[in-house]
Each structure stands twice: as structure tokens, then as C-alpha cells.
Amino acid sequence: MSTQISLVSLVKTFRSFNSKLFSRIGFSKSQKVVLLSVTASIALLALFARYVRRRKTTSGTSYRKLPRSPQILHDSDGDGGSSYRRIASPGLRSLRRQGSLLSGFSDRTSTAGSVTLSAASHGGGDADNAACTQPVTPQQFGVMGMEALELSIKYWEDALDTYRNTAGNSGALALTGEEEAEFYRDLERVLDAAYQLQGQCELLFLDQRSVLFRAESVSTRLGGSDLHTDYSSPESFVSAQDEVADLREFEEFTDLLTDVEKLPLYQSALKQFDENGIPYRVLRTEMVHCSSDVEYLGKLHCIRLAFQWLFRDQASWNWFADSGRQVLTDLMIFADKDPKDFLIAYEEMLKFLKDEVSWSDIELELSAKGVKALTFFDIVMDYILMDAFEDLESPPPTVTAVVQNRWLSNGFKESALTTAVWSVLKTKKSMLKYPKGFMAHFYAISAQMSPLMAWGFLGPDEKLKDMCLYFKDQVLGYLKEIFSFQQTRYASVEELSTDILSHAKTRFANITYKLSSESQQMYKANKAQGATNN
């Protein structure tokens, strides 16, 4: 009512101003039109701003904008209450949810909210009209349920904000009584459960990999629109086989259902992150299928502790050293390369690492490269292998031009690639601050392995390429395993280190078996070809 009165008074004022202004000053017709348009626009904008300001709520920060696990950490404040804190560390991409849960979904779900049950709205209960009505699919029912849950969460958030603001404005300390504090905590737990339920519903009803977004025929059968399909025909049987859900597609989401409260080691990592932060060089959240950057960093802290615990045992240290030597040697032999120089450089590296005096220089040297911790994961897995795989995915244009040149022989291409790699490594080695440090030994090994890997990934030798890709897949699979709640135990350092070593032995066995079987096949093929030529 007040808005209508304001509008009427504004119109009267505008007419009076218009008549007085135009009676005193002479304007052309076009100038009058422009002036009227500008004045009307300003008046409407002022009225709209006043209307919005009247409707603006005065409550504090909404809990909707600060969801909890896995993006936001829950921090106990020591007074029996709790608070939700944003993570301010740079580079954490998955820590914020923007607006409503349903506002950012794709257009394929936009029709679910507008589904109308015309059979129910028309009186008389006409069976023909009901039969012709398009049925509501499970996905649409699910989205409507999520909309109802969204509304419920909004009310619960408002209840919590109102209760907190009322207690804070009463002039006394908020939540002084035990019953008030318990009510506050119970309502927080209800919101936490609702946020987790939202995430699970999103995977079921809105994620592209959900079984509900399979072929349209699946949705049709689920909706029950085709009641005369001949399911006994061979075509129906084949199509049904193609449309069965593959549960392996949901493996990366199983960690969301893990009760992390029962994992003391992981909980201690989250506390470490909350209090002091966890340093990292590169976030590999998506690569290892973590649900958030916070989860990745928490697991990273646990894995670092597990590798430190693991390498206290000299037997474990020796196993990793021997396994690395064997895999790389077998790979060179498979590529028909002499491993002599590689073995010399590898043994020099092991000798250098066993000297405890050199570790202070190693720390300074690697910290300049961005390595945050001196663990097997940070140095070997993350800095050496992962960076190498990323470099091979996007090689320099000059290298690509040489390798893909059809007019050059394969021998010339490989020689040119090897020379280019050696030239780069020689330049880097000449610029080292520590000429006999870790990077110098690493470049000596790289001088033997880098040309082979580059030729394997980029060159035309299909068998070598398949072997290099298999080696890469095994390494990436190992990382996904040790970062998985389902395949690795995060309850204690001892259990985590045991699982890490077990996964490593499994992947090592896979690689050696593949190299051995492929080498035998190549030997038999070459022997048969030699006999044929003779």
C-alpha cells in the first residue's frame, strides 16, 4: 500500500515539474522526448531501489553459503558451540558453492520443476486423459524433492540465524545455558545432515554420469510410456545389455559416502590444515579423484607421514630402490637400449642419497624447485613423474615437427630427439647452483631415460608407445589407489603405510609382467622372422 502511495505522489510531482519546466524553457520536440525518458528512468530506478531496500533481510551470514564437508572444515570453538569458517588458502578451487544448489545445473533439468500433472487437475477422473498425460520420470521426482529440501534448509538456516541474532541482541552473552547450547548444536547437526543429503541427491538425480541420464529409451521405460514393447525379441535383449549401468563409473564418488569421523589420521590432517595449513606444490585433486582440494591436502599430509614411516625401515627403502632400478632397466632393454650408463647414474644417485650430510643441501635445492616436503611422494611421484608426464602431453612445437615429419627416417628422428634432449639437459646442468647435488644426479639419469620416454610417447613405434602408456597408467592408478578411502586405510600411519607398500608391490608386479610377456613375444616374433628369411 505504501508503495502505491509513493508511486502516485511521484507521478503528481513529475507532472508538476514537467509543466513548470517546459513553460519556462523552450525545448524542441526531440529534446522534450529525451528529457522525459531520462527523468522517467531515474524516477523508476529510485523507486525500485527503495522497494528492494525495504525487502532486504537483516540476518547475518547464511549457512547456505558456508556448507560443511567436504569443502568447508568444521572448527570447534571450545565453548561448546561451533562455527563455519571459509578457507583462505590460495588455489583451493572447490571451497565455495555459489548460490542455490539448483541454480547452476544444466538445462536438461529445467523442465523438472515445471512438470504439471494434468490428469490430477482435470476433474471427472477421465481415464483416457490420464493415460495421455506424460508420466513424471524418477529424475523429475528427485529434482522436485531436492527443491523441497532446499526450501527446508533455507528455513532451518533462518531459524539458526534468528536464534543466534536474538540471543546476541539480548544484552547478555549468547547461549549461556546448557540447553540453549545443545539446541544450537542439534540444529547445526540437522543442517550438516541436510547438506550431505543434498550432495548425495545431486549424484543420483543431477550428475551427468548417473544412470538416469543414460539413453532416452531407459527414461522411457522407467516412465512406463511404452507398455507394448516386445521384450522377448533379440533386439530388446541386446539394447538392454547396452543400457545396464556400469557401477565402475561411480567409483570416484564412493569416497563421499565414507564416514571420515572414524578415521583418526585423516581427522588429524584436517586439524593440521585448519590450524597451520598444509603446503603443496601442485593441486592434483581431479587427477586422483578427490572430491575437494581440502580432501586432497588432508590425504597428502597423511601420505607424507606414511612414506616417512615406511622409509624408516631399511628393507622398504631397499625395495623401492631395487624396484625402480628393475623397472627402468627392463624398459630400456625392451626399447633395445643399452642400460649400462643408466645403471651407473642410478647407483651414483643411491649412493648420494644414503649420505645424510647431503640432505641439508638437497632440501635447499628442491625447495627452490617448489618441493614442499622431502618424501618419496613429493620428490619422485609428484615432482619427477607427474611433471614428466605433463611435459610429454604438450611437447615443444619443434620436437613435434621433427617427430611428425614423414620425409625423415625413424632413425634420424630418434637421433634428433635424443640430441635435443641432451642439449637441454646439458644447459640446465651448467646452470646448477650445486654442481654435484641432487639435480645434477637427476639430470644424469634423465639423460638416459628422457630420450627413451619421449620417443616412446611421441614416436611411431607402436609397441614402445603402448608400453610407455601402460607404465603411465600404472603410475596414475597407484596414485588414485593411495588417495582413495575405499582402497587405502586412513585410520593410522601404520595401516596407511602398509597399504601404500601393498599397492606399490601390486603395480610393480603388473609392470614387470607386462614387460616380460611383451619381450618374450617380440623375441619369438624376431626369431620366427629370422628363420623365414633364412
Side-chain angles (χ1 to χ4, degrees), residues 252-324:
E252 61 182 287
F253 301 106
T254 54
D255 282 0
L256 295 176
L257 306 178
T258 303
D259 187 3
V260 297
E261 300 293 338
K262 297 181 180 180
L263 303 175
L265 178 61
Y266 181 70
Q267 289 297 315
S268 66
L270 295 183
K271 183 178 180 181
Q272 169 69 21
F273 177 83
D274 190 32
E275 294 178 352
N276 303 313
I278 297 175
Y280 63 93
R281 191 179 69 91
V282 179
L283 285 171
R284 304 192 186 275
T285 305
E286 297 180 359
M287 189 194 71
V288 297
H289 292 175
C290 289
S291 60
S292 69
D293 293 334
V294 175
E295 180 184 328
Y296 170 79
L297 293 175
K299 291 179 177 179
L300 173 61
H301 181 73
C302 298
I303 289 173
R304 286 170 174 170
L305 296 178
F307 270 114
Q308 290 175 355
W309 176 274
L310 191 62
F311 275 65
R312 291 179 182 177
D313 184 7
Q314 187 63 34
S316 299
W317 196 98
N318 292 335
W319 182 86
F320 276 96
D322 295 340
S323 300

Side-chain angles (χ1 to χ4, degrees), residues 387-510:
D387 281 10
F389 291 151
E390 291 176 356
D391 292 340
L392 290 172
E393 288 180 357
S394 55
T398 54
V399 173
T400 305
V402 172
V403 173
Q404 296 179 352
N405 193 326
R406 296 181 299 173
W407 303 101
L408 301 177
S409 64
N410 290 339
F412 180 83
K413 293 179 184 177
E414 185 175 5
S415 299
L417 184 61
T418 302
T419 302
V421 172
W422 283 350
S423 177
V424 172
L425 292 176
K426 184 178 180 180
T427 303
K428 290 184 176 181
K429 193 171 182 179
S430 63
M431 300 172 62
L432 290 175
K433 182 178 179 180
Y434 301 91
K436 296 183 180 180
F438 176 86
M439 294 305 300
H441 289 83
F442 170 65
Y443 287 151
I445 297 176
S446 299
Q448 307 301 320
M449 293 303 305
S450 295
L452 184 149
M453 300 298 290
W455 181 248
F457 281 99
L458 306 176
D461 190 337
E462 293 298 330
K463 292 184 177 179
L464 180 59
K465 179 179 293 185
D466 292 341
M467 183 58 65
C468 290
L469 290 175
Y470 182 80
F471 172 75
K472 177 183 177 181
D473 291 341
Q474 291 297 308
V475 173
L476 295 179
Y478 175 67
L479 291 179
K480 294 174 184 177
E481 284 179 343
I482 66 176
F483 274 91
S484 171
F485 282 133
Q486 305 300 319
Q487 302 183 60
T488 306
R489 295 169 294 177
Y490 279 81
S492 65
V493 176
E494 294 83 357
E495 291 180 347
L496 180 57
S497 61
T498 300
D499 291 345
I500 286 176
L501 181 59
S502 176
H503 293 320
K505 290 182 178 180
T506 301
R507 297 294 177 173
F508 168 75
N510 293 343

Side-chain angles (χ1 to χ4, degrees), residues 143-160:
V143 172
M144 288 188 285
M146 292 179 67
E147 291 175 347
L149 177 62
E150 183 79 9
L151 182 60
S152 300
I153 291 177
K154 179 181 181 300
Y155 288 141
W156 295 333
E157 292 169 343
D158 293 341
L160 191 62

Side-chain angles (χ1 to χ4, degrees), residues 230-243:
D230 184 8
Y231 293 104
S232 61
S233 64
E235 293 79 3
S236 299
F237 177 75
V238 174
S239 63
Q241 281 185 320
D242 295 336
E243 294 163 357

